[in-house]
Amino acid sequence: MDLILLGPPGSGKGTQAKKMVERYHVPQISTGDILRAAVKEKTRLGVEAKQYMDQGRLVPDEVVVGIVRDRLKAPDCTGGFILDGFPRTVPQAEALGATLQAMHRGIDHVLSIEVDKEELLKRLGGRRTCRSCGAMFHLIFDPPKKEGVCDTCGGELYQRADDQEKTIRARLKVYDEQTAPLIAYYREKGLLRAIDGVGGVEEIFRKIVKAIEE
Ligand code: AMP
């Protein structure tokens, strides 16, 4: 099952990807998570990526394409994968298509999770992330038991630089300009399935399962 999860920042791609990993036993490949890990470790990639990420801009295509190309070669991707946050531009989608073709495989489904802008702003502004384990909470929808403290590991919760209001608006603009064209791109290929992303996590997951399995 080779699958892409498409959707604006805050649409719940990461949350749904994790549930899909449990059900389908294929890995989640989140370029955002890979880049954040590199930033944390201060590798050369991380140092380069950070300047783009903090401003809500996209990391250059050749950098992320290289990351994904390597990741897809790992043995755990043999039975499929869930791409979360990649591709984000048409050139990335084209590079992915070429890579998969060379591996004699191809995308089975592209699920586009749809959420309107007002809802996205509300969701992203309240997001808090654990500095130690990366778990995510939300001040309104999923608050931690103790303010500022991670329920899972006791680590400190913080607001990612790219979850601050100014950066959120920049990220949504980048999505509209550079990523939203992928909806038409994959629709033309007959791969796109739109999923209404407003509602509870379980409700949205049911819609995803139905889209994949029917
Ligand atoms: P995310 O967690 O998916 O929202 O990603 C966080 C940030 O990482 C984005 O705002 C970008 O700066 C960068 N990033 C993640 N995935 C990509 C990608 N496919 N192409 C370019 N930049 C990316």
Side-chain angles (χ1 to χ4, degrees):
M1 186 181 69
D2 294 358
L3 199 140
I4 295 173
L5 268 182
L6 205 63
S11 58
K13 294 190 300 293
T15 305
Q16 295 297 335
K18 289 193 173 61
K19 294 184 69 65
M20 291 161 75
V21 168
E22 272 173 36
R23 184 176 179 103
Y24 297 110
H25 309 289
V26 294
Q28 168 194 14
I29 303 177
S30 157
T31 40
D33 284 351
I34 295 170
L35 291 168
R36 271 186 292 280
V39 169
K40 202 170 165 193
E41 285 165 26
K42 299 196 170 65
T43 61
R44 213 172 71 185
L45 165 69
V47 173
E48 189 194 346
K50 189 176 188 312
Q51 41 179 339
Y52 296 97
M53 295 169 78
D54 283 352
Q55 294 171 28
R57 293 165 59 207
L58 293 185
V59 173
D61 286 340
E62 59 275 18
V63 176
V64 279
V65 165
I67 292 174
V68 172
R69 207 173 266 154
D70 287 347
R71 182 65 186 84
L72 291 177
K73 287 184 198 142
D76 64 335
C77 291
T78 325
F81 53 77
I82 298 159
L83 279 170
D84 158 19
F86 181 95
R88 261 183 157 91
T89 65
V90 172
Q92 289 180 19
E94 285 170 348
L96 174 67
T99 300
L100 292 175
Q101 201 176 11
M103 297 169 83
H104 306 290
R105 58 200 284 181
I107 296 297
D108 299 307
H109 306 278
V110 178
L111 304 178
S112 169
I113 308 188
E114 300 180 340
V115 178
D116 69 54
K117 193 153 291 174
E118 285 312 306
E119 175 74 14
L120 292 173
L121 284 168
K122 206 161 69 184
R123 289 188 187 180
L124 288 165
R127 198 148 87 169
R128 296 293 179 271
T129 307
C130 174
R131 243 184 237 290
S132 308
C133 74
M136 290 209 281
F137 298 86
H138 194 284
L139 298 184
I140 304 166
F141 306 120
D142 181 23
K145 291 196 184 75
K146 191 168 166 220
E147 198 187 317
V149 180
C150 175
D151 287 356
T152 314
C153 78
E156 182 201 353
L157 299 183
Y158 79 115
Q159 186 174 37
R160 275 167 37 185
D162 62 346
D163 279 341
Q164 284 160 23
E165 166 109 20
K166 197 168 125 248
T167 320
I168 290 170
R169 291 198 181 268
R171 287 167 72 199
L172 293 177
K173 188 159 175 274
V174 165
Y175 176 82
D176 284 342
E177 290 174 358
Q178 302 194 56
T179 309
L182 292 179
I183 295 175
Y185 177 91
Y186 285 117
R187 185 182 292 124
E188 274 161 30
K189 293 186 184 296
L191 295 172
L192 194 89
R193 302 297 306 267
I195 308 284
D196 178 3
V198 180
V201 171
E202 295 302 329
E203 183 187 347
I204 296 164
F205 186 58
R206 274 196 297 276
K207 292 180 202 164
I208 288 179
V209 170
K210 190 160 168 255
I212 294 174
E213 296 179 10
E214 77 182 5

